[in-house]
Every structure is written in C-alpha cells, then in structure tokens.
C-alpha cells in the first residue's frame, strides 16, 4: 500500500462530498477509515508497545494498610487519606431513598475532586490526520503500557504544585500554543467507584504548520489505527477511549451525495480498515439528521428519571459504612461481593519511577459491558439504559445495554438482555482495562452484538433504542453518557 | 377580532409550512405570535392580577435575627439555619485563586440544595396552544401577585413531607397523568446568591383530550400573552421567564418556504402581537441551521474558561466570612456594597397564609441586565459573555452583555458595553423581579438594545456574538445559560 493510493482515495472521496470535504469532520472520518501509516503500521505499534512492556515492569505487593508510608485512616472519619490531604481518599457513600429516608446501600468510594485533563493532539500531515498517542505505564494495567492520550494531567500536574517536570505537550492544551479546540467537555468517570469525578476530555488540532517534536514513548497514529488497536485486549486505555468516543463525522451538508460516498468507499474497500458493520452504522448517520427533537426527548427522560427516582446520595465517613468490613489488609463487602480496597507497595525496575505505595481498588471478577445493536428506519440503533450509579453527579446517565459483574448478582436477578450476549458472535469484543492508577488489573469484556431488528425484543422500562448519530449528539452534552458507554462508542 | 380570523390565519400559515405545520414547534410559534384569547384578553389578565393584588397584602417587618422564631445562628459555624435543618440556610462562600491558594473574595450565600420543579402545563384548545398560568403571591414581590408557572414545588412539597395539601396540578408533572414532556432540564438559579442551586424547568403538553379543571388563581394564556405581559414591570415572575426561555420554534424542515412564511405573517400583521424586531430575530432562525459546530465551539470555550480561569469556590462557615459584618439586624458588606441579609416577620391579611418569619436577601440598588443585538450574516446575533458567578456549579455560564449593579462598582471600573444602554431606545425594557420567596423587592432593569451591526464594536475578551437560534440550541444543554440571560431570552 502506498501513500499515493491513499491520497488518490481521499481525492475521489472529496469529489463526491461537496462542502463536506472542506470540513474537519471529513478529515476525522477519513482518518477513521484507514490504518495506513507511513510513520509506523499497526503491527509496528504493537511491537513498540510490547517492547516497552518487556523492559518496564512493576512489582506490586499487597501490604497491610498500616505499612503505607504516606497514607493513614483518619481518626475521626475512618477515611483512608494521604498525609498531605491531596491526591484522593477512600470515603463512604450512602445511597438513600428520598421518600422514606431509608439507606438503600453503603459502599466505599474514591473521592478525587480534581478535574484532570485527558487531551489528544491531532495534526494533518501529508494529507492525513494523525493523533499523537503516548505509551503510558501504570502499575495496575494489564499490559503495563497502554495507548494513552497525548496528555493525562491533573490540575496539580498542570500547576506544577508538587514541583516536578512540566508535563510534555501540555502547552498544546493550556492556551500557550494556539490550537483549534475540537472537543472540550467535562465527562464523568466510573460512577460506581468515584464520587462525582469528572475529567476534561480534549481534542485539539495543531494548525500551525510547524513540526511537533516527537517525544520518547509518543507515536502518531491514524484514528483508524486506534480503533484497530481497540479490538485487542487491554491495549488502548480508558482515557483514550473516552476522548475518541466524542468524535463525530457528520454535519449539515445538503449537497452530500450519500450513495456516491458509499460507492467510492466500496471501490476502495482494500484501503478501508473498518468493518462492514462500522460502515453501515457510520454511513447511516447522514440520513438521520433532524432528530434533535429525539435528542430532547432522551434528555427530558433523563431529567425525569433523575428527579423521580427519588434516590439521593451522601458522602459518609468510611467508618460508618454498613455491610463492609475494614480489615488490616483489605476493605471488603461482608459477602465478598463487588470490590475490595487494598494497599499496595509498588516498585519499578527503573530508577526514574522508583517506589511508592497507595490504596487501589480491586474488582474480583471481570465485568461485562455489552451493547445491543439493530437496524431500524435505515439506521443502526443501540439499546441503552438510564442507569443509576451513586458517584455520578446527577446519579443517572446513559449506559450500555448490559453493564454488570455477573458474579456480584444472585442467580435469579441477572440483568436484562444479558442472555443475548451468551451465545453467538459479537461484531466487536475486547477486554478493556479501567484506569491503572486507581484500579488493580480491573478489566471488562466490551461487546457489541447485532440483532436483525428490535421489534421482537420485549421493551424493558428504562431502556431506549438510540441511533448512532443521536448518541454522538448526546455526547456533545456533558455528563449524559457514562464512561462505560463511551468506551463502546469509541469503536465508531 | 374573532376566533375565525385567528384560525384562518393559522390555516394560511400551515399551507406554506409543509411538514413543519404538523409539529409542536409550529403550535408554539403560532401561540407566541398571537395575543388573542377568548378565555380572557391581556387587559383582563392585568385586571385580574391587580384585583388580586389589591385584596392580598403582606406586612413585612424587619426584625432582629434574635426575634426569628424558627431560625438561629449555628453555634459552631455561625450559619443562619432553620431549626429543622430544612428549607435553606445562609452560609459563607469563598472564591479562591487555585494557583496561589489566595482568597479572592468571601460572601454570604443561600444554600438550598433541593431541586425544585418549575412546571408549565400547556394544552391545545380550539386550535390554539394555551399555557396554564398561576397568579402566585410572594411577600418579597413587587406587585404581590405575579404570573407564575402552573406548579412551583420543592421536592418536599412533592413528597408532602411537611404534610400539607397536595400541590395543585402536580399530577401533570409527576407521571401520574400521562403527558408529553416538551422540556425537562435542570437549570441554574442566580449564581451570585445561591450555592449550586438548580431547578427543574418543565413544559408538559396535555394531549389527553379531557378537560383540565381551572383552579382559582389559574388562567389559560397564549404564549404571546405571556410575552406581552413580560413587557410590563414585575408582572411575569422569574420562574415563568426561565421556563419559557427554553421554548424553540425551529426544526429541520427542508420543505419550509421561509419567504412565503414571512409573507403570510405580514399579510396578517394586525393579528400578530409581536414586534418587527421579534419577527426579524425569530424568522431569521430558520436560515441558521447547521451551526452545531458553532455550538460546539461555544461549549468548548466555556469548558476551557471553566478550567483555565483557575478559580474555585468553597463553602465556608458564615462566621469565617471576611469583609462582611454580622450584626443584630443585618449581615452586610463592610462598605455597604452588594446585598444585605435581613430577618423579616411576614403577616398576611388572610388566615390561610397566616404569619411566619424568615431571612431574606435585600439588594440595595436596582440591577441592570442588558443584551446587545445586531444583525449579521442574515440573522440577529446577541452579545453574550462567559461570566463567573461563585454559586454556579461550574462557576461559569453564558450571561447577558451587561449584568451588574452599577452602584456596587467603583467609578473607573464600569462593566464593558454598559455605555450602549445609556442613551437611546431599547427594543425591550422592563423591570423584572427576582424570586419573592428569598429576595426582598429585588428587581433588575432588563433591556435589549439593537445596533446596526457589530463590526465597529471593539471585541472584549470573554464576549461572543451568538445568533438567537444557537442560543436556543445552547438552552437544550443544562447549566450553560444563566438565569439572567434566560430572563431576556424569554422575550423570544
């Protein structure tokens, strides 16, 4: 495959796209289509990552809480916190029935109020848009190095309050360098683990024309390559998935000939790295314009559910949490369900990273995150649910069809639609890790399953079919689509 | 004017509107155009309100805090709170510079964490959409009775936790009666006065076909009548303005002939109660489709400002607030600026309402809220600013061009663009009250001023011109447009 073939393909596409060919959305769409990359093809990226993985490792040892050097349980609240009061703490969260005042459940939760930056820098080079990705090691990661955004920085990093080196490329996200901001939204993190945690998801485009110096552990990838790597287990980290889920390809272009567009793509099928299902879902998006009212309906339904569920949450001292045991080695549910809070001592095999200790969350069983898809009215729809998670600021967001840890459930209480994922083939399936700085080797099986249609499915209260384009519209809103659904939508 | 003429006008409009004529947006648009109302014309509504005002009055007496029966200063925090711990409290709020940790300012603030319902019921009767409005009395209102939503209820009202009668018409907003939900969004209240306060703004449509029983103090009004009443001082309350600001008229209707639409309206100019400027702004909206990217840009800019302002807020005990004096009669700024917290004893002249006491906020001077408008690229644009208000959850939202209390400022530091409102004529000007349950006779002069264009205006950092339609798009998002800007956008 040569660069020329790619550029000829792009030219043919442009020709049928009218105004659309002049937009950034078109550049994003084209970058998503292709895996061709003269800077390094996808197998080279994998070699690079596995090479890094073989050189860097962390020794992670579970230790008693009492052995933590920098962390202690507060004598008043029992909260597990850093001596400095910074970073994060483990507190209690209580879920309440507003009508009766009853406690529905208690659980430990991570309180990390700082909003961090998850920023990806992109740049057009030789006619194609590339994304600057970082191989980043975290002690809790399966595969130590995963493909991460250009910048993952807390506000403390940003301000360099702890001294330390300036985060590389941060100037592209701080206004110091003039860039075009493509996406900038606050989005929620895992509401079952974090209390009101949000991160800023950023995509910025460098249009300066000047070169971006390529740092060690950084590589330029097409959007298509990131999507291909997402099909492998534990390779693209959660933060990357969260940011790229918010990329959309469509605009209002009445002069766009959708059939001609599809035809050019099919004529260049060998250059297009996306699956037939992907093309069906994404190309179907152009015909689905004008459903802002549908978007309104879903936002209305969400507000309605948030209010009329009559659920509320409160942060409570960790020592008042019911049904959980705070032991010397572990905080765990009294029936061993859900997750554990552990203390770990981490030692890296190189001097720069060194040694530290910290609490981590360990989930005992693999999660299942599944999205049902079906064609209807000429577009692929996805079955989403309005799901309550205590740590979310407004408690309810849109979630995938299935989001659960099967083993935490009792037998007669399996979540709706889980059975659809039990036999047969998924169009997409990969194990994806949670953030390895807080979670210890926690991963979920991400799945997309296509049905013939959804008329036969018995509708369950709180579930709603939404076409892809509308889901991407909803992602323009903040704190509407949860991180698990974003993780799956990153595939498109 | 007869009903027949109105219905013939509507029929003529429908004929040129294609699919659009079948939408709820068209019904809302038509209702906004007309003041004709067989249930009671606008002058009758005014007579009704002033009749109520003359019969009901409140005696509001300032009393020392020590005389409050149900309220006290917490011995620990100094917060002024209700004995039950419910309703609201007066606490301190500290605004911080994140980089230096410095306090920028302290102020008292109302903490009322409950999300209330502001709900308007609408219904199509004899071919026209009417809104069920309530005349509601508040002791702090200028004009005791103002036109209020069908339902203004706290969650406590809703749950009847304090016993008491069930709020009338609440069943239309609670799911007990099946209604079409047109708008359901959490929106912020005054960020300079409330700590993170939000209300649910609801518009629901009764499509049941069965009659709605008309309660005492309730009237059916066209949307146009509400807009006409908004041109009078202190007649339409803040909650009504907030809800109706979120109504939009446009959809995606490629078959809509805008020129024919404008022509039919001009042929029926005598039936249309809206100003030429209103028509220009609203009819211009149809040509401005496809600027979702522009909407993204503004949302991006907002997220950027929220993060990079490096401002933060913290609730602090009232007794730690700097620069404010807590006296026996009053909490006030040491230079007498901003506002006062007072205790009042309220006595109504009728037994049902009776007597109570409570703290209130009193603003010493009238506020000025001004919006500059200008035609550009075929649409009316409005000059908005990204404004910081400490109580807003994310601290920054879109605000009108000018939002200030002139007397609180020192002479050399007048806000940008204020001079544009000093001479000449506004296309809209009315004094509007803040919510009379918390604020004592607090009102602001709301103004819209039209310029010839905005090319000559020196652009000020943080200000942005936004066309009307895009502002209404931004109102689909939660907590993006502040209550002062919503108050002005309710005009359209």
């Amino acid at each position: 495959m040569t660069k020329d073939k790619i550029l000829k393909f792009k030219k043919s596409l442009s020709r049928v796209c009218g105004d659309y060919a002049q937009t950034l959305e078109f550049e994003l769409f084209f970058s998503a289509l292709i895996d061709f990359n003269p800077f390094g093809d996808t197998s080279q990226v994998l070699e690079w990552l596995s090479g890094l993985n073989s050189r860097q490792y962390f020794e992670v040892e579970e230790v008693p809480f009492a052995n933590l050097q920098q962390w202690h349980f507060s004598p008043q609240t029992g909260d597990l916190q850093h001596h400095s009061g910074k970073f994060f703490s483990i507190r209690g969260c209580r879920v309440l029935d507003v009508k009766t005042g009853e406690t529905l459940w208690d659980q430990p939760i991570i309180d990390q109020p700082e909003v961090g930056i998850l920023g990806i820098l992109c740049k057009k080079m030789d006619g194609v848009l590339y994304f600057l990705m970082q191989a980043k090691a975290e002690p809790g990661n399966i595969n130590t190095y995963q493909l991460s955004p250009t910048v993952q920085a807390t506000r403390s990093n940003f301000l360099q309050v702890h001294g330390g080196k300036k985060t590389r490329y941060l100037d592209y996200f701080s206004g110091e360098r003039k860039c075009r901001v493509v996406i900038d939204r606050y989005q929620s993190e895992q509401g079952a683990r974090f209390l009101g945690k949000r991160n800023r998801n950023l995509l910025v485009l460098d249009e300066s024309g000047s070169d971006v110096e390529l740092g060690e552990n950084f590589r330029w990838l097409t959007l298509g390559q990131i999507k291909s790597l997402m099909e492998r287990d534990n390779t693209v980290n959660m933060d990357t998935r969260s940011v790229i889920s918010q990329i959309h390809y469509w605009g209002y272009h009445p002069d766009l000939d959708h059939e001609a567009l599809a035809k050019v793509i099919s004529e260049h099928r060998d250059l297009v790295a996306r699956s037939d299902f992907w093309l069906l879902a994404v190309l179907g998006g152009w015909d689905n314009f004008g459903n802002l009212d549908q978007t309104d309906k879903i936002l209305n339904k969400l507000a309605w559910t948030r209010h009329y569920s009559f659920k509320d949450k409160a942060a409570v001292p960790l020592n008042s949490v019911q049904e959980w045991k705070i032991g010397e080695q572990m905080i765990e549910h009294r029936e061993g369900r859900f997750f554990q809070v552990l203390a770990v001592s981490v030692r890296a095999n190189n001097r720069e990273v060194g040694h530290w200790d910290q609490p981590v969350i360990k989930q005992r069983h693999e999660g299942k995150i599944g999205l049902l898809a079906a064609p209807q009215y000429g577009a692929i729809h996805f079955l989403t649910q309005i799901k309550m998670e205590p740590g979310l600021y407004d408690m309810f967001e849109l979630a995938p069809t299935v989001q659960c840890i099967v083993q935490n459930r009792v037998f007669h209480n399996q979540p709706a639609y889980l059975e659809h994922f039990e036999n047969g083939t998924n169009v997409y399936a990969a194990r994806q890790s949670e953030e390895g700085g807080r979670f210890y080797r926690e991963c979920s099986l991400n799945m997309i399953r296509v049905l013939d249609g959804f008329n036969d499915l018995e509708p369950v209260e709180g579930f709603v079919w939404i076409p892809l384009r509308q889901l991407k519209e909803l992602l323009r809103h903040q704190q509407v689509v949860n991180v698990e659904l974003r993780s799956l939508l990153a595939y498109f």
Side-chain angles (χ1 to χ4, degrees), chain A:
Chain A
M1 199 181 299
T2 67
K3 208 192 281 186
D4 285 355
K5 270 174 92 172
I6 291 291
L7 292 180
K8 264 182 73 179
F9 170 33
K10 197 177 172 205
K11 215 166 177 180
S12 309
L13 261 187
S14 309
R15 231 175 271 128
V16 296
C17 283
D19 284 350
Y20 176 61
Q22 307 309 315
T23 64
L24 178 60
E25 285 71 26
F26 174 74
E27 298 294 341
L28 290 163
F29 175 61
F30 189 76
S31 185
L33 286 180
I34 62 166
D35 276 13
F36 174 75
N37 184 348
F39 306 114
D41 67 25
T42 309
S43 63
Q44 281 170 340
V45 174
L46 277 168
E47 275 166 36
W48 167 61
L49 282 173
S50 63
L52 287 170
N53 280 338
S54 65
R55 287 198 298 280
Q56 168 78 57
Y57 56 89
F58 293 105
E59 251 173 63
V60 181
E61 190 194 351
E62 292 182 22
V63 295
F65 291 117
N67 287 18
L68 289 172
Q69 302 294 307
Q70 300 288 325
W71 297 77
H72 66 278
F73 289 103
S74 153
Q76 290 80 40
T77 59
D79 294 351
L80 182 53
Q81 58 195 35
H82 194 261
H83 294 346
S84 69
K86 293 194 196 285
F87 303 107
F88 63 95
S89 62
I90 308 290
R91 308 175 68 183
C93 181
R94 178 160 295 167
V95 179
L96 299 156
D97 180 313
V98 173
K99 286 194 182 181
T100 63
E102 242 180 301
T103 296
L104 299 174
W105 78 76
D106 279 359
Q107 65 167 79
I109 203 156
I110 308 170
D111 187 15
Q112 185 179 0
E114 260 195 23
V115 174
I117 290 179
L118 313 175
I120 299 181
L121 175 67
C122 64
K123 191 176 177 66
K124 198 167 155 185
M125 290 180 288
D126 296 336
V128 175
L129 205 59
Y130 292 92
F131 291 66
L132 186 58
M133 303 307 293
Q134 178 184 184
K136 196 170 193 303
E138 293 285 1
N141 278 358
I142 303 173
N143 298 334
T144 307
Y145 278 92
Q146 294 193 4
L147 212 58
S148 307
T150 320
V151 161
Q152 278 177 222
T154 61
R155 192 151 73 171
S156 309
N157 293 147
F158 189 93
L159 294 172
Q160 297 178 263
V161 285
H162 314 304
K165 275 198 302 187
K166 196 167 172 182
T167 306
R168 185 140 201 185
Y169 300 114
L170 195 57
D171 47 346
Y172 288 91
F173 301 90
S174 66
E176 290 164 77
R177 278 176 194 266
K178 211 172 150 52
C179 282
R180 174 161 165 197
V181 182
V182 184
I183 293 165
D184 189 350
R185 297 296 146 83
Y186 287 43
Q187 299 291 7
S188 59
E189 303 275 303
Q190 294 90 335
R193 300 283 185 271
F194 282 108
L195 186 65
K197 172 115 178 77
R198 302 181 299 163
N199 277 321
R200 248 181 96 195
N201 288 234
L202 273 160
L203 178 66
V204 304
L205 173 67
D206 177 19
E207 299 178 303
S208 68
S210 56
D211 282 351
V212 177
E213 203 191 320
L214 196 63
E216 205 195 327
N217 292 2
F218 288 85
R219 290 277 175 112
W220 290 106
L221 271 72
T222 67
L223 186 51
Q225 286 183 295
I226 301 171
K227 290 183 190 297
S228 292
L229 291 166
M230 261 187 64
E231 298 188 17
R232 307 185 74 93
D233 291 351
N234 304 304
T235 304
V236 175
N237 86 348
M238 186 191 82
D239 297 333
T240 303
R241 284 175 275 131
S242 175
V243 175
I244 71 165
S245 72
Q246 294 166 73
I247 292 173
H248 48 91
Y249 311 114
W250 308 281
Y252 174 63
H253 299 286
D255 53 347
L256 180 63
D257 180 342
H258 310 139
E259 281 176 32
L261 176 71
K263 188 157 171 280
V264 173
I265 287 172
S266 74
E267 283 163 4
H268 297 78
R269 196 66 186 85
D270 56 321
L271 303 181
V272 172
R274 304 280 64 80
S275 69
D276 288 344
F277 177 72
W278 191 95
L279 289 171
L280 198 66
V282 171
L283 294 179
W286 269 286
D287 295 325
N288 255 272
F289 205 65
N291 52 13
L292 283 175
D293 294 344
Q294 295 301 317
T295 306
D296 263 0
K297 266 188 202 161
I298 289 159
L299 293 172
N300 287 344
K301 198 179 162 80
L302 190 60
W304 190 278
T305 310
R306 283 170 172 171
H307 208 95
Y308 290 126
S309 67
F310 295 114
K311 302 275 194 307
D312 215 342
K313 63 161 175 281
V316 295
L318 186 61
N319 59 20
S320 72
V321 163
Q322 305 293 308
E323 306 274 315
W324 289 71
K325 294 183 295 188
I326 302 176
E328 289 179 7
Q329 293 266 356
M330 185 182 292
I331 302 170
E332 62 177 339
H333 187 259
R334 66 176 178 76
E335 289 169 3
R337 289 158 67 204
F338 311 113
F339 60 89
Q340 302 161 339
V341 182
L342 303 173
V344 294
S345 163
V346 183
R347 232 169 257 283
N349 65 329
N350 53 359
R351 208 172 307 176
E352 300 88 64
V353 189
H355 166 257
W356 75 93
D357 53 28
Q358 68 166 85
V360 292
I361 302 286
K362 186 178 173 181
Q363 189 174 293
R364 294 183 56 225
H365 302 283
E366 183 178 271
K368 276 196 172 27
I369 294 179
L371 194 54
L372 285 181
Q376 196 88 347
Y377 319 118
I380 300 292
H381 287 59
F382 296 93
L383 186 58
T384 65
Q385 59 171 312
I386 297 180
K387 189 174 167 63
M388 197 267 269
E389 297 178 289
L392 299 176
Y393 177 60
D394 275 321
M395 297 196 72
F396 290 82
E397 293 189 9
L398 280 181
T401 323
V402 166
Q403 175 187 330
C404 71
I405 299 162
V406 176
Q407 289 83 349
N408 286 343
R409 301 247 175 180
V410 284
F411 179 71
H412 57 277
N413 183 23
Q414 286 302 324
Y417 303 109
L418 182 64
E419 71 278 12
H420 289 274
F421 295 91
E422 273 162 9
N423 302 300
T425 313
N426 297 305
V427 287
Y428 167 70
R431 290 187 161 76
Q432 301 292 9
S433 307
E434 306 304 335
E435 208 267 300
R438 298 287 171 270
F439 299 104
Y440 185 60
R441 303 180 76 80
E442 180 165 334
C443 98
S444 296
L445 180 57
N446 281 228
M447 299 171 283
I448 300 174
R449 177 65 63 102
V450 187
L451 307 175
D452 294 335
F454 53 77
N455 287 333
D456 296 341
L457 270 200
E458 213 175 298
V460 174
E461 172 67 23
F463 284 75
V464 53
W465 286 99
I466 307 180
L468 179 62
R469 176 156 186 180
Q470 200 177 347
L471 280 168
K472 294 265 181 170
E473 282 298 326
L474 289 163
L475 273 166
R476 293 178 192 257
H477 292 255
Q478 301 194 135
Q479 294 147 247
V480 164
V481 177
N482 81 357
V483 69
E484 288 82 3
L485 183 51
R486 294 203 304 280
S487 174
L488 283 163
L489 293 177
Y491 176 75
F492 298 101

